[in-house]
């Protein structure tokens, strides 16, 4: 090779910050002639590393102007320059790279066309993504697809042969598709460019200085380029964290899970030993007990761990200085501890800290905790587009149409901060949405579209109607596509984009990082939308959600000047004063490499692919680079998602080494941080429980009119009456409440009420068919809901059979009377009115006495509860009837009071009469109820009488009916030993 010289290889040890040491070395080399820096071309692993080096130059030059070197990622080749220079040799033409999205779509189409698989379009897209990632591995390693069918010997399981047959998509069909489109895979193109540059520099060595820094040479093409650069007259290769003091036995025993393995492959190719590699430009290292020595022991290959027996108790005393370790109970505790460490760092001027973790969920937790303190942190690892502010709005638009604007989907969209309906200012829109939420969209609300909702709700205000009509108009283009069996992906996407723009206002959805990322994805999707076959709305929705989940949004570089959250690759290059290494559990750091769905381990080895353990080795190298910082904090959670976790293998090895020194990991837990974390969640030293509520509103605020159903609440839980009728607080129904629970009572009442009104004299012969017809009609649109009618139809059938049989027998002695009849009863001397709406009041034929009937779909009260005044509804309705309070009903006596339980269960129905004792009459129940109510009225007319919460716990209403228990804070005071609840 022309211009070849002895390879110039250097390393920056893990104890030194790589980027800062690289910058200081170059500045020191050209002290007094800083302009010479502009002659350098520096190749780094990532764009973020380039930005970090630029900042390091700025920091170390104290802001003085500098002509910086050319800095570029090692795989980001200046193609134009390369083509011009290669033209003089043998020319260079490399086809353009296919975009990842276009490749995924074409692979998905190929899978559906030739694969013997019955899968949906979104499943084909997911499979295409996995297949593309596997193909990238093959291309990166420079392997041939032509030999795939030769790597499955007969002794392998049959399913591997099936897999290899499927992979013929890559070897037989995919090259033809690439040729037809005039493109190549991006990994292939990158390899070709790197190889072309390698060839150029071999034939025409550059005269400018070239430095390749920070790369471990895991990619074969990159490794070859590093070899060439090392031999250039003006070339230098600077390796990150090479262990130059590793013993030969360990060096020869390295496997792919060791942090030095990739560096060993590079040095073996260059025929170098670690001890031959000098440090870069005046690198400062400690002579004894360095952190690197401790790291070497932690990472020892299994074959040489016998050396641990020679460890001395005080061997790593100095190396342990500056290491802290915290094992927290949960991930939330871990996040709080990390946040406290970060916040503490800010107390020291100019001090920096970096959180390094592969656990993105943990990183988000830390960022959210810091945000509460006014500290804004962004995770350099990025987050999924679907979880961003604008990405979530885009998906909510789709969800609203998909759900046919049902309450949850509609309100989620309308309450999103980006949603702005044209013609309504922010204040008016907020009021309208709040009104719709509170008054119209709660409970079991059924409608097929917004227009139907408007028609079904005449009480909507004019503003609300106009608002909803505007929403309906905006949703219509995408909704109309939903109703088609198939449509083009392009039509779906255009209508979706138009809806998002119309709902968000001018340009607001496309700004900032997440908006720009969304716009980039959708622009590319529009460009390739014609590649999709016609598909359904659900398939479009699934594909879009999948693609958005794949897209990552990374924050602007350097959001906070002194605090960082870094991914592992970024942390390899950057060094902060405090390095916090978190999520140190097996499966997280190091990662669980799992299994390759395409090839077994022996097949990968036969084919030439690296072992899956290589990911562990790279992760170990990143850990080692950070572990050797001057001040390092190691954290883990002992339980993750409710299950016990396993400490990282590196922590286990460190613990083993510490035991040889008569220490343990717990000895590294320093400072009050865990106690501070506990203090954030611990109960206070003394607790003063909230006493039982006992409000005493003034007399003029106390209710003068109540329904009979409220009297039971008055007796059992006066506070509930106070909250409902004095504070005027009403429990909001759930959104999209379970129809089975919400409809059962009202449907049963409506069905049988209609039947009695229609047939008051004689029962028709086809009563069962008529009642079932009423039931189907009453269910209406709910009959099409999944599982609803299938569950309730057999219950209605059993209920109807019981009702007809019982009604036939009942009418032999009674005559049906008014249903759903309203009445009142006044205590004139007390200025109080009792109201009621009775389900049914019949008359007994023999005595002309009234029969008070109440339908129940749940468990009715017992006679004992009625007698005790805890369930006074029927006696009070009888009181109103005897007092002439029900229009057109003359009742001189009450001959029957009872509950007709209609459940449709194993016991379809039951007549549960209120029966007096032998020495009692029904009139005794009525008189007792009247006296009890009068006493209540007189007692609560006194403004000093409190409305206690659950004054008699043994008579408390069932939990399901305690709608104000949270307001009364029952769980606080109910645990007190004081039988009076502290009142």
């Amino acid at each position: 090779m022309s211009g070849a010289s002895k390879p110039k290889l250097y390393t920056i040890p893990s104890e030194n910050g790589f980027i800062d040491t690289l910058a200081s070395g170059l500045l020191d080399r050209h002290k007094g002639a800083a302009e010479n820096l502009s002659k350098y071309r520096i190749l780094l692993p990532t764009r973020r590393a380039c930005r970090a080096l630029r900042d390091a130059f700025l920091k170390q030059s104290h802001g003085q102007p500098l002509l910086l070197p050319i800095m570029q990622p090692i795989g980001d080749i200046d193609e134009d320059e390369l083509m011009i220079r290669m033209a003089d040799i043998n020319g260079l033409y490399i086809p353009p790279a296919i975009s990842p999205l276009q490749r995924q779509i074409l692979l998905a189409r190929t899978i559906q066309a030739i694969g013997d698989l019955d899968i949906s379009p979104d499943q084909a897209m997911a499979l295409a993504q996995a297949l593309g990632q596997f193909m990238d591995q093959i291309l990166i390693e420079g392997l041939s697809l032509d030999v795939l069918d030769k790597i499955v010997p007969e002794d392998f399981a049959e399913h591997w042969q099936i897999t290899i047959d499927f992979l013929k998509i890559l070897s037989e069909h995919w090259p033809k598709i690439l040729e037809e489109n005039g493109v190549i895979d991006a990994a292939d193109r990158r390899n070709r460019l790197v190889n072309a540059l390698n060839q150029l520099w071999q034939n025409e060595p550059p005269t400018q200085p070239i430095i390749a820094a920070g790369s471990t040479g895991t990619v074969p093409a990159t490794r070859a380029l590093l070899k060439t650069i090392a031999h250039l007259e003006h070339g230098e290769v600077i390796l990150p964290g090479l262990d130059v003091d590793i013993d030969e036995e360990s060096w020869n025993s390295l496997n792919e899970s060791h942090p030095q393995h990739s560096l060993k492959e590079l040095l073996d190719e260059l025929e170098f030993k670690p001890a031959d590699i000098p440090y870069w430009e005046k690198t400062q290292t400690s002579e004894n007990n360095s952190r690197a020595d401790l790291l070497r022991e932690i990472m020892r290959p299994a074959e040489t761990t016998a050396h641990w027996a020679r460890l001395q108790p005080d061997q790593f005393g100095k190396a342990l200085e500056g290491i802290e370790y915290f094992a927290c109970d949960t991930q939330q505790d871990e996040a709080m501890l990390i946040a406290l460490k970060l916040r503490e760092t800010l107390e020291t001027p100019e001090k920096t800290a970096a959180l390094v973790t592969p656990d993105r969920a943990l990183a988000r937790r830390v960022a959210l905790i810091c945000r509460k303190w006014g500290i804004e942190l962004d995770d350099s690892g990025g987050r999924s587009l679907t979880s961003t502010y604008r990405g979530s709005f885009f998906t909510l638009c789709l969800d609203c149409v998909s759900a046919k604007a049902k309450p949850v989907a509609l309100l989620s969209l309308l309450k999103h901060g980006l949603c702005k309906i044209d013609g309504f200012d922010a204040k008016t829109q907020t009021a309208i949405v709040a009104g719709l939420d509170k008054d119209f969209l709660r409970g079991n609300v059924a409608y097929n579209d917004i227009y139907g909702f408007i028609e079904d709700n005449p009480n909507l205000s004019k503003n609300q109607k106009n608002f909803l009509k505007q929403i309906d108009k905006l949703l219509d283009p995408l909704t109309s596509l939903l109703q088609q069996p198939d449509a083009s992906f392009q039509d779906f996407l255009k209508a979706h984009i138009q809806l998002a723009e119309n709902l968000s206002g001018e340009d607001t959805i496309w700004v900032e990082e997440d908006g720009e990322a969304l716009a980039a994805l959708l622009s590319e999707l529009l460009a390739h939308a014609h590649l999709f076959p016609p598909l359904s709305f659900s398939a479009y929705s699934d594909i879009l959600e999948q693609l958005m989940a794949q897209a990552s949004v990374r924050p602007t570089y350097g959001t906070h000047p002194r605090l960082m959250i870094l991914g592992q690759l970024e942390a390899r290059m950057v060094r902060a004063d405090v390095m916090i290494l978190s999520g140190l559990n097996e499966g997280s750091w190091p990662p669980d490499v799992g299994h390759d769905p395409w090839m077994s381990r022996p097949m990968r080895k036969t084919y030439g692919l690296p072992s899956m353990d290589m990911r562990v080795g790279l992760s170990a190298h990143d850990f080692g680079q950070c572990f050797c910082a001057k001040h390092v904090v190691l954290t883990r959670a002992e339980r993750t998602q409710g299950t016990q976790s396993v400490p990282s293998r590196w922590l286990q090895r460190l613990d083993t080494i510490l035991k040889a020194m008569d220490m343990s990991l717990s000895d590294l837990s320093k400072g009050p941080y865990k106690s501070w974390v506990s203090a954030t969640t611990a109960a206070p030293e003394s607790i003063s429980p909230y006493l039982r509520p006992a409000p005493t509103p003034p007399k003029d605020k106390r209710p003068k009119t109540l329904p009979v159903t409220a009297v039971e609440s008055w007796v059992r839980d006066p506070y509930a009456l106070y909250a409902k009728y004095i504070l005027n607080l009403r429990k909001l129904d759930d959104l999209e409440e379970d129809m089975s629970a919400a409809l059962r009572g009202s449907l049963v009442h409506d069905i049988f009420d209609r039947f009695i009104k229609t047939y008051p004299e004689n029962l028709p012969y086809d009563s069962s068919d008529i009642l079932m017809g009423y039931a189907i009609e009453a269910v209406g649109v709910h009959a099409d809901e999944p599982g609803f009618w299938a569950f309730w139809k057999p219950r209605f059938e059993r209920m109807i059979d019981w009702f007809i049989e019982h009604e036939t027998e009942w009418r032999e002695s009674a005559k049906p009377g008014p249903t759903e009849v309203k009445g009142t009863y006044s205590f004139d001397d007390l200025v109080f009115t009792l109201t009621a709406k009775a389900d049914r009041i019949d008359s007994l034929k023999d005595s002309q006495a009234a029969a008070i009937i109440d339908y129940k779909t749940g468990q009715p009260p017992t006679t004992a509860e009625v007698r005790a005044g805890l369930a006074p509804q029927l006696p009070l309705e009888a009181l109103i009837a005897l007092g002439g309070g029900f229009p057109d009903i003359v009742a001189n006596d009450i001959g029957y009071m009872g509950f007709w339980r209609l459940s449709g269960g194993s016991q379809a129905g039951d007549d549960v009469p209120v029966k007096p004792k032998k020495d009692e009459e029904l009139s005794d129940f009525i008189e007792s109820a009247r006296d009890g109510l009068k006493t209540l009225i007189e007692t609560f007319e006194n403004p000093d009488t409190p409305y206690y919460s659950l004054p008699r716990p043994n008579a408390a209403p069932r939990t399901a009916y305690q709608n104000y228990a949270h307001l009364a804070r029952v769980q606080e005071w109910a645990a007190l030993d004081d039988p009076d609840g502290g009142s």
Side-chain angles (χ1 to χ4, degrees), residues 492-553:
F492 279 125
L493 187 57
K494 285 184 176 180
H496 190 179
I497 292 172
Q498 189 62 53
L499 172 61
E501 288 182 336
N502 289 340
L503 284 174
S504 65
E506 232 179 276
D507 296 333
T508 54
I509 192 174
W510 311 124
V511 300
E512 299 191 13
E513 296 154 356
D514 53 347
E516 291 172 0
L518 179 62
L521 173 64
L522 299 182
S523 297
E524 190 176 4
L525 259 179
L526 280 174
H528 302 304
H530 64 281
L531 298 174
F532 287 99
L535 70 176
S536 66
F537 183 90
S538 62
Y540 163 77
S541 178
D542 291 340
I543 290 173
L544 185 69
E545 183 178 352
Q546 182 186 125
L547 293 175
M548 289 181 64
Q550 291 172 205
S552 181
V553 180

Side-chain angles (χ1 to χ4, degrees), residues 701-715 718 720-722 724-726 730 823-827 831-837 876 880 933 936-937 940 947:
K701 300 298 182 183
R702 300 186 176 218
K704 299 297 186 288
T705 301
L706 285 174
V708 293
T709 51
V711 176
E712 179 175 342
S713 177
W714 202 355
V715 173
L721 187 97
Y722 162 78
K724 185 173 183 179
Y725 293 98
I726 298 177
R730 298 292 191 274
T824 60
Y825 182 92
S826 296
F827 293 84
V831 193
F832 185 88
T833 302
L834 183 68
T835 67
K837 186 169 76 168
L876 290 177
I880 296 173
L933 177 58
L936 269 177
I937 297 169
F940 279 87
Y947 286 82

Side-chain angles (χ1 to χ4, degrees), residues 396-441:
L396 285 175
C397 294
L398 193 62
D399 293 343
C400 186
V401 173
S402 177
K404 298 181 180 178
K406 288 297 189 292
V408 170
L410 178 62
L411 288 173
S412 297
L413 176 61
L414 295 180
K415 291 185 178 184
H416 194 284
L418 275 179
C419 188
K420 299 177 181 64
I421 307 304
D422 191 32
F424 297 87
D425 59 61
K427 184 177 180 180
T428 303
Q429 178 174 321
T430 300
I432 290 173
V433 173
L436 291 171
D437 182 5
K438 178 176 176 291
D439 301 325
F440 296 97
L441 293 173

Side-chain angles (χ1 to χ4, degrees), residues 962-978:
Q962 293 182 22
N963 294 329
Y964 300 95
H966 62 296
L967 186 66
R969 297 167 73 168
V970 171
Q971 295 298 322
E972 280 194 43
W973 55 261
L976 293 176
D977 294 331
D978 182 358

Side-chain angles (χ1 to χ4, degrees), residues 687-744:
I687 300 176
S688 299
Y690 187 77
L691 301 182
R692 184 196 304 271
T696 53
K699 183 177 179 178
D700 62 334
K701 300 298 182 183
R702 300 186 176 218
K704 299 297 186 288
T705 301
L706 285 174
V708 293
T709 51
V711 176
E712 179 175 342
S713 177
W714 202 355
V715 173
R716 293 177 181 266
D717 188 8
Y719 184 84
L721 187 97
Y722 162 78
K724 185 173 183 179
Y725 293 98
I726 298 177
L727 297 183
N728 200 29
L729 298 176
R730 298 292 191 274
K731 177 182 179 293
L732 288 176
D733 293 327
D734 293 334
L735 289 170
E736 298 183 28
E737 194 171 48
D738 177 21
M739 290 184 295
S740 298
L743 282 180
R744 182 174 60 177

Side-chain angles (χ1 to χ4, degrees), residues 510-811:
W510 311 124
V511 300
E512 299 191 13
E513 296 154 356
D514 53 347
E516 291 172 0
L518 179 62
L521 173 64
L522 299 182
S523 297
E524 190 176 4
L525 259 179
L526 280 174
H528 302 304
H530 64 281
L531 298 174
F532 287 99
L535 70 176
S536 66
F537 183 90
S538 62
Y540 163 77
S541 178
D542 291 340
I543 290 173
L544 185 69
E545 183 178 352
Q546 182 186 125
L547 293 175
M548 289 181 64
Q550 291 172 205
S552 181
V553 180
R554 295 181 181 270
T556 303
Y557 176 73
T559 303
H560 194 282
R562 294 202 282 142
L563 301 181
M564 299 167 278
I565 300 180
L566 302 175
Q568 296 154 283
L569 184 59
E570 291 87 357
R572 183 190 298 177
M573 300 286 100
V574 179
R575 179 62 52 86
D577 296 323
V578 181
M579 299 294 289
I580 304 174
L581 315 187
S582 300
L584 287 168
N585 285 323
E586 285 293 306
S588 174
W589 199 355
D592 179 7
V593 296
H595 66 279
D596 184 351
W598 307 108
M599 290 184 180
S600 65
R601 285 178 178 256
M603 289 166 61
R604 287 179 65 93
K605 185 175 182 180
T606 301
Y607 187 43
L609 287 173
S611 166
M612 299 288 286
D613 291 334
M614 185 181 71
R615 288 181 58 200
V616 176
L618 294 175
S619 184
H621 187 273
D622 297 333
F623 171 81
Q625 286 291 96
C626 300
F627 180 78
C628 289
K630 184 177 181 180
H631 185 181
V632 60
V633 180
L634 311 174
T635 74
R636 62 175 290 262
E638 294 179 336
R639 284 182 291 118
T640 58
Q641 299 180 345
T643 60
Q644 198 72 21
S645 61
V646 178
S648 167
R649 65 192 66 180
W650 306 315
L651 288 178
Q652 295 180 50
R653 282 169 159 254
L654 175 59
D655 191 40
T656 301
I657 293 169
L658 290 175
K659 286 176 180 176
M661 302 170 60
D662 296 326
M663 296 177 64
S664 67
L665 278 173
S666 59
D667 295 328
L668 302 180
S669 297
K670 304 170 184 176
Y673 305 103
K674 290 189 72 173
S675 62
W676 288 352
V677 170
S678 299
T680 62
T681 56
E685 294 181 1
S686 61
I687 300 176
S688 299
Y690 187 77
L691 301 182
R692 184 196 304 271
T696 53
K699 183 177 179 178
D700 62 334
K701 300 298 182 183
R702 300 186 176 218
K704 299 297 186 288
T705 301
L706 285 174
V708 293
T709 51
V711 176
E712 179 175 342
S713 177
W714 202 355
V715 173
R716 293 177 181 266
D717 188 8
Y719 184 84
L721 187 97
Y722 162 78
K724 185 173 183 179
Y725 293 98
I726 298 177
L727 297 183
N728 200 29
L729 298 176
R730 298 292 191 274
K731 177 182 179 293
L732 288 176
D733 293 327
D734 293 334
L735 289 170
E736 298 183 28
E737 194 171 48
D738 177 21
M739 290 184 295
S740 298
L743 282 180
R744 182 174 60 177
S746 60
L747 285 181
V748 168
H749 280 74
D750 293 345
I751 292 166
F752 293 112
D753 178 62
R754 180 181 177 185
F755 182 79
I756 296 300
K757 286 179 178 177
T758 307
Y759 303 100
E761 299 295 336
N762 299 312
L763 294 177
Y765 72 92
D766 57 346
S767 294
S768 294
D769 294 337
I770 292 172
L771 278 167
M772 184 53 69
Y774 289 169
I776 293 173
E777 188 177 338
V779 170
V781 295
H782 307 302
D784 295 328
E785 293 290 340
F788 177 73
W789 189 234
F791 178 78
W792 280 111
K793 183 180 179 182
R795 286 177 170 260
F796 274 123
E797 289 174 342
R798 292 192 293 269
M799 194 186 302
I800 287 169
D801 290 342
W802 179 89
F803 180 81
I804 293 172
E805 181 182 349
H806 183 71
E807 185 71 16
T808 302
E809 182 182 344
W810 173 260
R811 290 194 182 194

Side-chain angles (χ1 to χ4, degrees), residues 304-349:
T304 68
T305 50
H307 287 269
W308 285 347
R310 307 173 190 170
L311 295 177
Q312 301 299 315
D314 59 348
Q315 186 167 342
F316 297 113
K318 292 183 179 179
L320 292 173
E321 294 177 2
I323 298 180
E324 296 178 77
Y325 168 74
F326 301 100
C328 303
D329 291 338
T330 65
Q331 281 186 307
Q332 184 60 29
D333 288 348
E334 183 182 13
M336 176 58 74
L337 188 143
I338 295 165
L340 288 169
K341 294 292 293 186
L342 292 172
R343 184 175 178 180
E344 181 187 48
T345 302
L346 296 180
E347 300 296 319
T348 304

